[in-house]
Amino acid sequence: MLVVATSGTGFALGSGSTIDLAGLCWTCTGTMMVAASANSLNQLFEISNDAKMKRTMRRPLPSGRISVRHAVTWASSVGVAGTALLAWKANMLTAGLAASNLILYAFVYTPLKQIHPVNTWVGAIVGAIPPLLGWTAAVGHVSLNGMILPAALYFWQIPHFMALAYLCRNDYAAGGYRMISLADASGQRTALVALRNCLYLVPLGYLAYDWGVTSGWFCLESSLITLAISAAAFSFYRDRTTQKARKMFHASLLYLPVFMSGLLFHRLTDNQQSLPEEDSEKIVELSSSSETVPVESEDMNRKKKLSYYSSLGRQVRAPVAYASVAPFPFLPAPSYAE
């Protein structure tokens, strides 16, 4: 359900002023089918491991309620059908992302859990793709401002699973999984990793505002909830107890729905992001006139133009063009009018 919710949120963010409800339903359905296939394959590969863990021994396969043949048939059919549905009702890019994520989860992340603690970061990539999948289903391409929610999902998963890995470290050891918490008796490294990734969430609210995805209110709200989860992570870092880890885990559970709700509530439509036609013409005139003056005058004109853009509102720069400034020097130079 979490995967479907993040995919649906990504679709809504990429839809602009009008959300295609049929497209949203098809995207969520296809995402749900592919996610069901990935999770089923995960449980197929981990039957013996799940049987050793209190948290997972009651799952359908280790408990014997479903046969292996049944699970294989289900996982294969629903995975193929979900990918085909996304290719038919959305586009090939979305279907490709879904299929790639299924493969990454079932055939890379799942076996890696028993090999190396880096599996947590691979799993974070898996969790970050569904909102991007929803975005591409609505827009048809990957763009920089579509990366806000995937980035949030990636960084959020680290403190979420660090708390879980600390709370369930004995269970993970019994199941044969290689988690960072198992080689960290004091819990200091686990807590530090969680705190660091909470801090990585701090600028996302500003970027969402700066890139024209949301209004300025979201920047404030995102900062507040990110500081709250960071405070919980810092508390866990200072006092590495089960109680503090559980508090951070609960804070992570609260963070994501609040963050996504804020994105949806404060999102800007196409009309709010675009310049009026007459304003665009003025910008073109400023751009063309600046080519005929000396360098000193050109710099002055540039400052005047930037001041003019600020007076018009914060949505005047295209997100990708704005991000051409460092630290993204490889992106196209800013362009304010076509």
Side-chain angles (χ1 to χ4, degrees), residues 241-256:
T241 63
T242 300
Q243 181 182 3
K244 297 295 185 180
R246 186 172 288 109
K247 182 180 178 181
M248 185 178 72
F249 181 74
H250 291 156
S252 70
L253 291 177
L254 180 63
Y255 173 87
L256 193 60

Side-chain angles (χ1 to χ4, degrees), residues 253-312:
L253 291 177
L254 180 63
Y255 173 87
L256 193 60
V258 174
F259 184 88
M260 292 196 300
S261 298
L263 273 175
L264 292 175
F265 185 78
H266 295 292
R267 74 185 185 95
L268 297 179
T269 63
D270 292 337
N271 293 335
Q272 292 172 303
Q273 294 179 16
S274 60
L275 278 172
E277 185 176 348
E278 58 271 17
D279 291 336
S280 298
E281 292 175 357
K282 291 178 182 179
I283 296 173
V284 172
E285 291 175 4
L286 283 172
S287 300
S288 60
S289 62
S290 64
E291 297 176 358
T292 61
V293 297
V295 175
E296 293 81 359
S297 299
E298 185 175 346
D299 291 338
M300 187 176 297
N301 284 339
R302 177 176 176 80
K303 292 179 180 178
K304 290 180 179 179
K305 282 194 290 182
L306 293 176
S307 177
Y308 173 67
Y309 297 151
S310 299
S311 66
L312 289 176

Side-chain angles (χ1 to χ4, degrees), residues 323-330:
S324 303
V325 187
F328 303 104
F330 51 85

Side-chain angles (χ1 to χ4, degrees), residues 199-276:
L199 295 177
Y200 292 158
L201 290 166
V202 173
L204 293 182
Y206 173 74
L207 292 177
Y209 159 71
D210 198 48
W211 292 351
V213 179
T214 65
S215 66
W217 283 108
F218 177 74
C219 178
L220 174 62
E221 294 170 5
S222 173
S223 298
L224 291 176
I225 63 172
T226 302
L227 290 176
I229 190 177
S230 298
F234 182 70
S235 177
F236 175 50
Y237 177 72
R238 291 187 61 185
D239 184 16
R240 295 177 295 278
T241 63
T242 300
Q243 181 182 3
K244 297 295 185 180
R246 186 172 288 109
K247 182 180 178 181
M248 185 178 72
F249 181 74
H250 291 156
S252 70
L253 291 177
L254 180 63
Y255 173 87
L256 193 60
V258 174
F259 184 88
M260 292 196 300
S261 298
L263 273 175
L264 292 175
F265 185 78
H266 295 292
R267 74 185 185 95
L268 297 179
T269 63
D270 292 337
N271 293 335
Q272 292 172 303
Q273 294 179 16
S274 60
L275 278 172

Side-chain angles (χ1 to χ4, degrees), residues 73-86:
T73 303
W74 160 257
S76 303
S77 58
V78 77
V80 172
T83 303
L85 181 65
L86 290 172

